[in-house]
């Protein structure tokens, strides 16, 4: 019996390894290897083709005096912060509504999830037409996408509209995990309306809040498809996100090595922001 169990265990281990090893190879080939290669190229003046020279830390030093890069970071963080807050507030409101005792709430949940299914490029092109032709025809003004002052607002509207789908589902899951008897106990203590949400619901769904805040912030910092399809970084580079700048100047602008350095800094920055967010929100969970 022991021998049979050992053979079964060995067979299971071989099966797991047969599944794991190809996945690990693919992950390393398309994730780890490009990451290491990009890091090494960040110390060169490579244009993405032909010969190149080792320049050491010069790319990293030049970045801090590059106005275009600094402006792209400011734009990206402005969009990310506003969009993250807006997405979570709107999604939480939708989740509360879709968790209440209303008719057709299952169908409505499916409808609200549709934006997540659609491709970001397709959504961007549709909204680009909407902001370029339909809105000006209604208001009699010019397209918001042609304004260096307000084009970023259009980007925020689109990314929030699409991000709310998944975020709402996570909040609905969090709300469904709150025991009903907790609400009943709160009602006996006179907790209704805003007090019920503030002192009962919100503290109990803080894990969902933490998850959504971190995931949405990460996605918003990496905004790319909407920029490509709606503004291409314009007008006058006013909507040039970090991801778009790395892609555009790195692949077609002859700055491959320079933008690899930018990508390394961006990667570190996203990791740091995510870690700090998680620690801060986890501390708030403990306090609540």
């Amino acid at each position: 019996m022991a021998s049979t169990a050992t053979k079964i265990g060995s067979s299971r281990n071989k099966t797991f390894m047969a599944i794991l090893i190809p996945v690990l190879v693919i992950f390393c080939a398309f994730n780890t290897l490009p990451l290491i290669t990009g890091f090494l190229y960040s110390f060169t003046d490579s244009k993405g083709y032909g010969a190149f020279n080792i320049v050491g830390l010069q790319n990293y030093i030049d970045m801090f005096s590059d106005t275009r890069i600094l402006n792209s970071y400011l734009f990206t963080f402005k969009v990310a912060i506003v969009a993250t807050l807006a997405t979570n507030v709107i999604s939480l409101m939708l989740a509360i509504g879709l968790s209440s005792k209303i008719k057709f709430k299952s169908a409505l949940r499916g409808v609200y999830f549709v934006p997540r299914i659609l491709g970001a490029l397709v959504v961007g092109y549709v909204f680009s037409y909407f902001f370029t032709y339909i809105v000006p025809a209604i208001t009699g003004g010019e397209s918001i996408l042609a304004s260096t002052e307000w084009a970023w607002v259009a980007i925020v509207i689109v990314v929030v509209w699409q991000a709310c789908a998944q975020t709402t589902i996570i909040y609905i899951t969090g709300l469904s995990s709150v025991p009903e008897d907790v609400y009943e106990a709160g009602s006996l203590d006179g907790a209704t309306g805003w007090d019920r949400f503030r002192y009962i619901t919100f503290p109990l769904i803080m894990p969902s809040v933490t998850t959504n805040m971190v995931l949405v912030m990460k996605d918003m910092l990496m905004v790319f498809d909407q920029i490509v399809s709606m503004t291409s970084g314009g007008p006058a580079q006013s909507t040039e996100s970090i991801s778009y700048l790395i892609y555009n100047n790195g692949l077609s602008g002859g700055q491959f090595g320079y933008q690899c350095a930018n990508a390394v800094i961006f990667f570190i920055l996203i990791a740091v922001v995510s870690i700090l967010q998680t620690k801060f929100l986890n501390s708030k969970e403990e306090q609540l």
Side-chain angles (χ1 to χ4, degrees):
M1 292 294 292
S3 176
T4 303
T6 302
K7 289 181 180 179
I8 293 175
S10 177
S11 177
R12 285 169 60 86
N13 289 336
K14 289 180 180 179
T15 302
F16 291 147
M17 293 301 293
I19 296 172
L20 178 62
I21 291 175
V23 173
L24 184 62
V25 170
I26 293 172
F27 177 82
C28 291
F30 292 97
N31 184 283
T32 307
L33 184 60
L35 186 65
I36 295 172
T37 303
F39 177 72
L40 295 176
Y41 269 112
S42 71
F43 298 103
T44 73
D45 62 357
S46 172
K47 293 182 173 64
Y49 54 87
F52 57 84
N53 299 308
I54 305 296
V55 296
L57 296 174
Q58 192 59 49
N59 287 333
Y60 292 93
I61 296 171
D62 291 343
M63 281 177 53
F64 292 97
S65 59
D66 190 328
T67 304
R68 187 172 181 181
I69 285 183
L70 295 177
N71 287 338
S72 73
Y73 273 84
L74 289 174
F75 165 76
T76 303
F77 271 90
K78 177 172 68 174
V79 168
I81 292 170
V82 173
T84 298
L85 293 174
T87 299
N88 279 275
V89 170
I90 294 171
S91 296
L92 185 53
M93 293 171 62
L94 287 173
I96 292 172
L98 293 172
S99 297
S100 61
K101 297 178 181 179
I102 59 174
K103 293 182 178 180
F104 312 115
K105 67 179 181 181
S106 296
L108 288 173
R109 289 179 182 181
V111 170
Y112 280 113
F113 193 73
V114 168
R116 188 67 182 180
I117 300 173
L118 302 174
L121 277 175
V122 174
V123 170
Y125 286 125
V126 171
F127 272 92
S128 178
Y129 182 87
F130 176 77
F131 286 122
T132 302
Y133 300 104
I134 298 178
V135 173
I138 295 173
T139 62
E142 66 173 5
S143 170
I144 190 175
L145 296 177
S147 170
T148 56
E149 186 177 357
W150 296 105
W152 74 276
V153 176
I155 302 295
V156 168
I157 291 172
V158 176
V159 296
V160 168
W161 179 80
Q162 193 160 27
C164 279
Q166 178 175 307
T167 313
T168 300
I169 296 299
I170 294 175
Y171 277 131
I172 289 173
T173 304
L175 289 168
S176 65
S177 66
V178 178
E180 192 63 34
D181 55 356
V182 175
Y183 287 129
E184 293 175 0
S187 298
L188 294 175
D189 292 334
T192 58
W194 170 249
D195 287 338
R196 170 174 163 163
F197 173 78
R198 180 181 177 184
Y199 295 110
I200 300 176
T201 304
F202 191 73
L204 292 176
I205 65 168
M206 267 304 294
S208 298
V209 175
T210 300
T211 299
N212 278 333
M213 289 293 289
V214 173
L215 290 179
V216 175
M217 175 62 82
K218 186 266 297 180
D219 288 343
M220 297 306 174
L221 284 173
M222 296 174 65
V223 60
F224 175 78
D225 293 337
Q226 294 82 0
I227 305 292
V228 172
S229 55
M230 295 177 67
T231 64
S232 295
Q237 300 173 358
S238 62
T239 62
E240 201 168 52
S241 69
I242 305 169
S243 296
Y244 182 78
L245 179 62
I246 292 171
Y247 162 78
N248 191 46
N249 284 21
L251 294 183
S252 61
Q255 297 182 347
F256 186 77
Y258 185 51
Q259 293 303 329
C260 279
N262 192 9
V264 170
I265 296 297
F266 188 39
F267 169 78
I268 295 171
L269 195 61
I270 291 177
V272 170
V273 169
S274 298
I275 292 170
L276 291 177
Q277 265 190 300
T278 303
K279 286 188 175 181
F280 175 76
L281 292 170
N282 283 339
S283 68
K284 292 298 179 183
E285 287 182 33
E286 293 172 2
Q287 293 175 14
L288 294 172

